[in-house]
Amino acid sequence: MTDNKALPKISVIIVTLNVADTLQACLDSIYAQLYPNIEIVVMDAVSTDGTVDILKANDDKITLWRSEKDGGIYDAMNKALDYTTGEWVYFLGADDVLFADYSKLAYQLSDANTIYYANVLLRDKKYRGKVTSYQHAKGTICHQAMIYPKHVFDKYRFNTKYRLSADHVLNMQCWKDKSIHFKYVDLIIANFNHTGASSKPDKVFIADQAGLIRENHGFIPWLRFVIRQYRNRKKVIPESYN
């Protein structure tokens, strides 16, 4: 991957902890990209399974990596952002892999005020297409489907209060921000492994979600969400309690 000054640089951030079984395949999928101006930044949480050995073996291709204690996934991502030098930022799970379409999306990055998003392959199916405000509020966009302009992170960082859903909260803030736009491109750019940390519920986020929707998406999406929650609760209440 040569540094092509004519194209904007993309900083690919990977956060790792004991991922020796999948990391090399993840890295290889980046090396295989036709887009020539990519840097890789890896933040490892002191892995003990051989992950660090893989990082050492790839030292000539990884722009920067650190192995040190952190406060969780999003704390590590916030740290990694301080080391990036690209105009664009992308977050890739160590158990995910990029497809050739990633480079096709990279070549379309042109508006520095736009978050570009595409699709991922989830359980062997395309996920999830263009989203409405309500769909975004309720379920956000897969993190591995999005490429952010770097300046977003000069304004916002991941709120580590939400240990598994901080990307959802950040995307909500960006959705509300009138200076930031979202553009959908119909490509499948990565295979998303649904069995990782993001597959678990974030109880703090679940408790706050309705308020976050009203704050960042407005009254109508909030009302739809609250009504949907109410109806779902009624479905699980035994008839004798209704």
Side-chain angles (χ1 to χ4, degrees):
M1 295 184 297
T2 57
D3 187 52
N4 189 332
K5 304 294 185 185
L7 293 168
K9 184 188 294 183
I10 302 174
S11 300
V12 175
I13 291 175
I14 305 172
V15 172
T16 62
L17 175 61
N18 295 333
V19 289
D21 289 345
T22 60
L23 179 58
Q24 190 62 58
C26 174
L27 292 171
D28 288 343
S29 75
I30 303 173
Y31 305 153
Q33 293 302 308
L34 295 180
Y35 189 83
N37 202 2
I38 297 175
E39 70 172 9
I40 303 171
V41 176
V42 182
M43 297 300 293
D44 178 68
V46 194
S47 293
T48 58
D49 69 337
T51 295
V52 173
D53 292 331
I54 294 173
L55 293 174
K56 289 177 180 177
N58 288 268
D59 194 60
D60 60 328
K61 296 179 181 178
I62 297 174
T63 306
L64 180 142
W65 64 271
R66 295 281 186 273
S67 186
E68 59 192 33
K69 291 182 179 180
D70 58 52
I73 296 169
Y74 296 105
D75 179 52
M77 288 181 179
N78 284 337
K79 285 183 178 182
L81 286 164
D82 292 333
Y83 292 110
T84 59
T85 63
E87 296 97 320
W88 298 86
V89 177
Y90 176 74
F91 299 91
L92 183 63
D95 52 359
D96 304 323
V97 295
L98 295 183
F99 295 145
D101 273 3
Y102 181 85
S103 288
K104 293 180 182 179
L105 179 61
Y107 277 112
Q108 296 186 44
L109 304 175
S110 59
D111 184 351
N113 295 312
T114 295
I115 296 171
Y116 290 79
Y117 72 99
N119 307 285
V120 297
L121 200 65
L122 174 63
R123 300 185 183 92
D124 297 320
K125 294 182 180 179
K126 179 180 175 181
Y127 179 82
R128 63 178 292 196
K130 188 175 183 178
V131 300
T132 65
S133 180
Y134 176 66
Q135 289 171 330
H136 186 271
K138 184 170 63 115
T140 199
I141 302 166
C142 180
H143 213 194
Q144 281 71 23
M146 310 176 72
I147 302 180
Y148 298 83
K150 173 64 184 300
H151 74 81
V152 164
F153 300 102
D154 297 330
K155 194 170 187 179
Y156 304 107
R157 288 294 175 105
F158 296 109
N159 185 340
T160 55
K161 167 185 175 181
Y162 304 104
R163 295 187 64 81
L164 300 172
S165 301
D167 57 305
H168 192 162
V169 177
L170 182 137
N171 291 338
M172 284 179 161
Q173 293 173 310
C174 291
W175 196 278
K176 179 183 179 181
D177 192 324
K178 299 303 181 185
S179 70
I180 300 172
H181 312 291
F182 285 74
K183 182 176 181 179
Y184 170 67
V185 181
D186 190 9
L187 297 168
I188 302 176
I189 65 172
N191 185 73
F192 174 63
N193 186 336
H194 66 283
T195 63
S198 60
S199 64
K200 302 172 185 176
D202 186 332
K203 294 181 181 179
V204 177
F205 173 75
I206 291 170
D208 291 352
Q209 188 173 6
L212 289 165
I213 290 173
R214 181 154 192 174
E215 177 184 351
N216 294 292
H217 286 267
F219 178 77
I220 298 301
W222 168 81
L223 183 61
R224 287 185 64 186
F225 181 78
V226 170
I227 291 172
R228 180 174 178 271
Q229 281 191 313
Y230 173 74
R231 287 174 175 170
N232 286 343
R233 279 198 297 267
K234 283 189 69 77
K235 287 179 183 177
V236 299
I237 297 175
E239 283 297 320
S240 59
Y241 288 85
N242 286 330

